[in-house]
Amino acid sequence: MHALAPPMTDSGRPVVVVVGGGVTGLSAAYAVHRARPDVTVRLFEARDHVGGNIVTERIDGFVIDAGPDSFLRTKPEAVALCRELGLESELIPTRAEARHVFAAHQGKLVPLPGGMALAVPTRLGPLIETPLLSLWGKLRLLAEPFIGRGGGDADESIESFFSRRVGKEAARVLAAPLLAGIYAGDFRELSIRSTFPQLVELERKHGSLLRGFLALELARSAGEPKRISLGDVYRWLRRRGEAQAASPFLSLRSGMGTLIDALVGALPEGAVRTSSPVTSVRREGVRFRVELGPESFVADRVILASPAHSTARFLGEEGLAREFGGIPTVSTATVFFALDRAKVRHSLAGFGFIVPEGEAKILAGTWVSSKWDDRAPADGALVRAFVGGARDPERVASSTDEELVALARSELERFMGPLGEARFSRVFRYERANPQPILGHAERLARLDALVRAVPGLAFCGASYDGVGIPDCVRQARRAADTVLTGLPGAVVRAGAE
């Protein structure tokens, strides 16, 4: 995909090596180059393409984002990066007419209650009407403002946090597929502090999630809110349907691969090398030795942007290797169907559907061409299913593409009705590509930070650590670039060039 760069030589320019060519590594390399054009940047990617989980294919008028298809606009880093790269005109929101999300429930698709805020319904009418929760489940959720704060600073799982705040039923039916589903993980093991720290902060500050969400709404309209009473919460829950808020998600008109192409294009010619797995990174005096099989290079600074389990394999220091290697992962696959719209019985009026545990053999379904403009020709429809994850950990490794297609089609048709014969289908596998910030993850990161700080000139970043979204990865990449550039001298003439 990219021409191999010539072997690095010490020409007097400082050298920064980035290991890993996903969106994090590319963003880190770009941040280094943008801040210090005098620095030689080299990025090594083990696979034959860059972009990591971000893969865009364009086939017969269909635009297929195999991995993430969007990012949150409420986290500013990704939007800022797109603007820097000249992609602002490419940014698109979700389609205004298709904002509904459904849940698989007893063999049917049921709309999620209106006014959902991070898995918590915040309007009384839709909550009372939904069949997703029993009467007891609804009453228990409405009792949330009366539940005291959690005790101390101990970490807890998503399941524990939501069961304590809104009850076990709402935790299983709403929180698990919506929040743990982002990680394809087990909500009994994922750390709430490492996945959704904003919810922990709402409870700490307001003593209640419902009080906290009301406070956020009041703060947006009228500044710092007054002390919120239970009466205020009750009146807020009873509010009528309101104008639909702007979608928090953005994508790129031609697919998320546009961002990857722009990052590569912003780097110096020859800075990126694909099919170049790093086999060793070790400290040599004040610099680093980076080995790629028979090739060996010297760098002043190194940014580790490869997946944590890969990073663990090429680090010689035992403590670092143990901590990087201790972050668990799960495998997933996405299965796409390019369909004739006229043959699909379902209205496809929405984003798609989530799947609570035990309701289906897939994790979720997305109606891609309803969610975004320009993802299918006028007479087509693009649908995808998610398979595997912590619920079905062996599925991806043990199934052929044909078996995954058959499973996905069977489950989609069970909820959506006939799909008709597909124009084509595509399977994308993400083996060990979904890091799991389980209980104790924050403590592991603290240990990693301490170990890495003890190695001057080394930094790490990526979805394995402090957030899996594209804005999180960009934020970490820029922080890593700042770290390695701090104290890095300008171009000098060195003796004994490698």
Side-chain angles (χ1 to χ4, degrees):
M1 180 176 179
H2 304 288
L4 294 182
M8 272 186 285
T9 60
D10 187 343
S11 60
R13 290 164 59 94
V15 176
V16 174
V17 163
V18 179
V19 183
V23 68
T24 312
L26 289 168
S27 297
Y30 168 73
V32 169
H33 176 64
R34 190 166 187 261
R36 289 286 301 273
D38 62 308
V39 169
T40 296
V41 179
R42 292 289 182 261
L43 182 148
F44 298 124
E45 167 55 45
R47 288 170 287 189
D48 63 0
H49 66 278
V50 293
N53 289 358
I54 298 177
V55 177
T56 300
E57 290 191 358
R58 301 171 183 90
I59 306 172
D60 298 336
F62 291 87
V63 178
I64 299 172
D65 276 322
D69 67 358
S70 62
F71 52 82
L72 282 171
R73 73 164 92 206
T74 51
K75 294 182 177 183
E77 293 84 359
V79 173
L81 177 61
C82 288
R83 288 173 175 158
E84 287 176 16
L85 294 169
L87 298 177
E88 186 167 11
S89 63
E90 286 286 307
L91 293 171
I92 58 172
T94 52
R95 298 179 68 185
E97 65 271 25
R99 296 279 175 81
H100 300 294
V101 179
F102 296 79
H105 180 68
Q106 299 178 1
K108 299 179 181 179
L109 294 183
V110 176
L112 289 179
M116 292 283 290
L118 284 176
V120 178
T122 64
R123 283 174 51 204
L124 188 59
L127 174 61
I128 290 174
E129 294 168 3
T130 183
L132 292 172
L133 298 175
S134 67
L135 175 60
W136 167 248
K138 296 170 185 177
L139 292 174
R140 175 61 181 82
L141 194 154
L142 289 171
E144 193 272 339
F146 298 93
I147 304 300
R149 292 180 177 86
D153 296 324
D155 198 2
E156 61 183 323
S157 67
I158 292 176
E159 178 195 38
S160 172
F161 179 84
F162 273 91
S163 294
R164 181 168 55 75
R165 294 247 45 100
V166 298
K168 291 184 178 181
E169 186 180 353
R172 178 183 61 82
V173 174
L174 300 177
L178 279 169
L179 303 187
I182 293 172
Y183 295 83
D186 186 340
F187 79 137
R188 291 169 284 264
E189 297 184 358
L190 291 171
S191 160
I192 188 69
R193 292 181 183 276
S194 296
T195 54
F196 298 94
Q198 65 270 45
L199 295 177
V200 178
E201 179 60 18
L202 282 182
E203 182 190 39
R204 185 200 65 79
K205 186 174 181 181
H206 300 284
S208 157
L209 297 181
L210 287 172
R211 286 180 193 265
F213 288 130
L214 173 55
L216 290 176
E217 185 171 302
L218 293 174
R220 284 192 292 267
S221 60
E224 188 66 24
K226 63 175 183 175
R227 179 176 175 81
I228 295 171
S229 69
L230 289 174
D232 294 328
V233 174
Y234 177 67
R235 285 186 289 274
W236 179 61
L237 288 171
R238 291 191 63 190
R239 70 196 186 282
R240 299 288 184 181
E242 56 217 17
Q244 195 172 55
S247 169
F249 298 103
L250 291 173
S251 188
L252 293 166
R253 190 174 309 280
S254 300
M256 294 303 301
T258 308
L259 174 59
I260 301 304
D261 294 340
L263 283 167
V264 173
L267 293 172
E269 182 71 26
V272 175
R273 284 184 50 164
T274 55
S275 301
S276 300
V278 169
T279 57
S280 174
V281 174
R282 65 179 187 273
R283 186 82 170 171
E284 284 190 353
V286 297
R287 305 179 79 191
F288 294 88
R289 175 74 58 178
V290 180
E291 295 181 351
L292 292 80
E295 296 181 276
S296 179
F297 304 115
V298 170
D300 296 277
R301 302 285 192 269
V302 174
I303 296 175
L304 303 171
S306 45
H309 63 88
S310 299
T311 303
R313 290 199 295 267
F314 58 72
L315 287 178
E317 202 281 317
E318 182 178 348
L320 279 172
R322 181 176 62 252
E323 296 296 352
F324 279 113
I327 298 173
T329 60
V330 297
S331 299
T332 57
T334 53
V335 185
F336 285 80
F337 296 94
L339 305 168
D340 292 322
R341 180 65 187 89
K343 296 178 181 178
V344 179
R345 179 179 297 176
H346 198 276
S347 69
L348 303 182
F351 282 4
F353 61 95
I354 61 171
V355 179
E357 193 170 52
E359 293 284 352
K361 296 178 182 178
I362 58 176
L363 301 175
T366 307
W367 305 329
V368 180
S369 51
S370 296
K371 185 178 180 182
W372 306 106
D373 286 328
D374 304 321
R375 291 304 190 259
D379 62 347
L382 186 63
V383 174
R384 71 172 169 179
F386 295 83
V387 178
R391 288 192 205 167
D392 198 357
E394 303 303 321
R395 176 72 65 179
V396 176
S398 64
S399 301
T400 64
D401 282 2
E402 291 76 15
E403 289 169 337
L404 292 176
V405 167
L407 172 71
R409 172 180 275 277
S410 173
E411 292 295 274
L412 288 173
E413 289 192 327
R414 184 156 71 91
F415 292 100
M416 297 168 54
L419 300 179
E421 183 179 354
R423 298 183 187 181
F424 62 85
S425 59
R426 290 285 283 118
V427 175
F428 299 87
R429 296 169 182 268
Y430 293 98
E431 296 184 8
R432 299 197 66 187
N434 298 266
Q436 300 294 290
I438 61 173
L439 291 168
H441 185 74
E443 289 77 11
R444 184 183 298 280
L445 285 191
R447 295 193 298 271
L448 263 176
D449 280 333
L451 289 167
V452 170
R453 281 198 303 270
V455 186
L458 188 67
F460 67 97
C461 51
S464 298
Y465 312 114
D466 189 19
V468 298
I470 292 173
D472 301 308
C473 292
V474 173
R475 169 178 49 79
Q476 293 179 68
R478 294 191 167 183
R479 184 174 61 200
D482 289 342
T483 297
V484 300
L485 291 178
T486 299
L488 183 68
V492 295
V493 177
R494 295 193 181 95
E498 295 286 337

